[in-house]
Amino acid sequence: MSTTWQATTEQAAPGELTGVHEQRAQLRAAMNGVEAALSSALAGRVVEWAAELEPAMMRLRDSVNRHITVTEGPGGLFEQIQTDSARLSGAVQRLHSEHERFQVEIDEMLAKLAEEPADPVAMGALREQITSLLGRIVRHRQRGADLINEAYQVDIGGG
């Protein structure tokens, strides 16, 4: 069942889904910012590239943390899904464990940006790692959308 977010939020799970759509849009915007920084030229401008990437990665870190708060905080989405659809607990646990990995990886990547911004080899490897991370976050968001749809028959969209 494909519906719009605005038309179905109140019917599906009032309160519990509030903020999910906005948080998804913010996460997507942060990911877009990182992708834009990653896709700029690295060769011959390693320090500048790292300087452009760092604030984008900090926004991504903040957005991932907000995402975790909305989904895992007290009374959050994961708690509600487990209450309403206990059969989905395995999927909830998988998304939770991905959250922990994302936080660790982003912190490690920010540390590398701070430690080795002039090293073109290190920054090239970091670019690949961050690109891989973005792909995993995209798949995580897809699984999250599928989970919400399965629990509430609500299509939260790609925001």
Side-chain angles (χ1 to χ4, degrees):
M1 174 175 161
S2 181
T3 57
T4 64
W5 166 259
Q6 292 80 8
T8 59
T9 302
E10 290 101 26
Q11 298 166 4
E16 289 78 22
L17 295 180
T18 302
V20 172
H21 188 261
E22 178 181 323
Q23 170 274 134
R24 282 179 61 85
Q26 290 173 351
L27 180 56
R28 183 70 198 143
M31 292 170 63
N32 288 343
V34 170
E35 196 280 328
L38 286 176
S39 64
S40 67
L42 174 61
R45 53 182 305 275
V46 178
V47 173
E48 296 86 354
W49 180 87
E52 292 167 7
L53 179 59
E54 186 174 21
M57 286 296 293
M58 293 170 93
R59 282 189 298 277
L60 179 63
R61 180 195 58 203
D62 294 345
S63 188
V64 165
N65 289 340
R66 276 191 303 277
H67 167 77
I68 293 169
T69 299
V70 167
T71 56
E72 294 187 18
L77 182 62
F78 285 178
E79 183 179 301
Q80 189 61 42
I81 288 173
Q82 289 182 312
T83 299
D84 295 342
S85 301
R87 65 189 167 74
L88 300 173
S89 291
V92 167
Q93 183 55 43
R94 179 180 179 184
L95 293 172
H96 167 72
S97 63
E98 290 174 352
H99 288 165
E100 293 173 344
R101 284 193 306 271
F102 293 153
Q103 286 179 305
V104 168
E105 288 180 45
I106 291 169
D107 286 342
E108 289 171 352
M109 291 169 180
L110 281 166
K112 286 179 185 178
L113 271 172
E115 293 166 7
E116 306 176 61
D119 182 343
V121 174
M123 292 300 101
L126 182 61
R127 179 191 244 175
E128 293 301 317
Q129 293 170 343
I130 295 171
T131 300
S132 175
L133 171 69
L134 290 178
R136 285 183 284 120
I137 294 173
V138 166
R139 289 185 294 279
H140 174 86
R141 294 176 77 242
Q142 292 166 346
R143 284 189 295 276
D146 289 344
L147 176 68
I148 291 169
N149 188 54
E150 190 169 349
Y152 300 115
Q153 294 298 299
V154 175
D155 180 0
I156 60 174

